[in-house]
Amino acid sequence: MPIQAVEPRRLYRQVADQLRQLIGSGEFGVGDRLPTERELADQLGISRPTVREALIALEVEGRIRIRVGSGIYVTAPPRAEILAAETDEGPFELLRAREFIEGAIAAEAALQVRSTDLDLLDDALRRMDDISLPATTTIMLDREFHTTVAGILGNAVLVRFIGEMFDQRMNPYFERLSSYFENKDSWLAAAAEHRAVRDAIAARDPERAKAAMQEHLRRSQLRFSRNFGESPATMEVAE
């Protein structure tokens, strides 16, 4: 059997593995409340976004239930057939990569933009304004905006690459994370950030365009980094 390269596991997977083992060993029983996100981060010596990615992975598997404003509770063991396959990257890792890559693309787009490109961006933004709540349609419009910015460079590989990166959010982990933190206000904020990117590109200002795109994706990370709102005083047993 040939020797195969060893691929290091993502940190959030290691955290999920450790919590899964503690639950499986009976350290935390069904209905027990886990330490808060902040407490887990302190105990493990890692960032809270990494803990959050691990918790979302466990919730998608059906091993825990996150109750906003109450806490994180162990649920009955999931059936084997509903366990989700692992994804290679967590949501925060993906957004950080997009911040770096799409910032550079936006800067170059500001140097190459044509009036027809602005028409396409404006059309996407107008359709975004017609929708007040996050939904499948808003996600596709979001994708259209980002791939249109990449399309300004006239490179089909970049358009496909940005589209594929965006499509990685179409998985159970990202969908569960979004269900907690995406709402009307977050969508309106994202739409305003999109317009700031468009305006910087239209001004043919590469540094401003890069900063606007990076700020948008950085704020996306912050929106997903809000506290779950655990309150030790509220103890609600999971169903």
Side-chain angles (χ1 to χ4, degrees):
M1 180 178 179
I3 296 175
Q4 298 180 352
V6 176
E7 183 176 337
R9 291 173 62 78
R10 295 295 195 278
L11 183 57
Y12 87 92
R13 288 190 188 178
Q14 297 178 43
V15 175
D17 286 346
Q18 186 174 157
L19 293 174
R20 194 183 295 110
Q21 290 169 6
L22 288 172
I23 292 170
S25 68
E27 184 73 20
F28 296 103
V30 174
D32 285 352
R33 186 176 185 274
L34 294 181
T36 66
E37 183 183 279
R38 182 186 297 277
E39 290 168 345
L40 287 170
D42 289 344
Q43 291 172 20
L44 294 166
I46 57 177
S47 70
R48 291 180 64 182
T50 299
V51 171
R52 176 159 303 178
E53 288 176 333
L55 292 174
I56 291 296
L58 292 175
E59 187 176 34
V60 169
E61 292 178 6
R63 296 181 184 275
I64 64 172
R65 174 77 61 82
I66 298 170
R67 295 184 180 276
V68 177
S70 174
I72 307 157
Y73 299 88
V74 177
T75 57
R79 300 189 307 274
E81 63 267 23
I82 69 171
L83 294 179
E86 289 183 334
T87 56
D88 288 335
E89 298 88 20
F92 293 98
E93 188 174 12
L94 175 62
L95 286 169
R96 286 192 292 270
R98 288 184 58 199
E99 178 187 336
F100 177 77
I101 296 167
E102 294 193 50
I105 288 174
E108 186 64 24
L111 298 175
Q112 299 188 30
V113 66
R114 300 161 298 179
S115 60
T116 52
D117 297 319
L118 293 176
D119 289 341
L120 292 173
L121 290 176
D122 288 340
D123 179 59
L125 290 172
R126 276 194 298 271
R127 282 180 284 138
M128 287 179 185
D129 290 339
D130 291 337
I131 302 173
S132 60
L133 293 174
T136 302
T137 304
T138 60
I139 292 174
M140 296 315 297
L141 284 172
D142 193 0
R143 183 186 194 279
E144 180 181 337
F145 178 83
H146 285 272
T147 55
T148 299
V149 171
I152 294 173
L153 277 61
N155 187 311
V157 174
L158 281 176
V159 174
R160 185 178 72 247
F161 179 63
I162 294 303
E164 289 174 350
M165 286 190 71
F166 191 96
D167 290 344
Q168 288 188 51
R169 68 166 291 169
M170 308 297 189
N171 64 59
Y173 298 92
F174 218 127
E175 288 175 3
R176 187 61 61 92
L177 188 66
S178 298
S179 72
Y180 288 116
F181 302 108
E182 288 190 337
N183 51 43
K184 179 179 180 179
D185 291 340
S186 69
W187 172 246
L188 292 175
E193 292 158 16
H194 285 152
R195 187 162 294 280
V197 172
R198 178 267 178 210
D199 290 346
I201 291 174
R204 292 174 169 77
D205 186 333
E207 289 303 316
R208 181 179 154 199
K210 177 180 180 180
M213 181 64 83
Q214 290 184 329
E215 179 67 9
H216 164 51
L217 293 168
R218 192 175 299 121
R219 287 182 178 274
S220 293
Q221 295 174 55
L222 291 174
R223 283 190 280 271
F224 286 147
S225 297
R226 297 206 324 262
N227 197 322
F228 278 125
E230 306 100 331
S231 174
T234 307
M235 299 292 287
E236 182 180 355
V237 178
E239 298 174 355

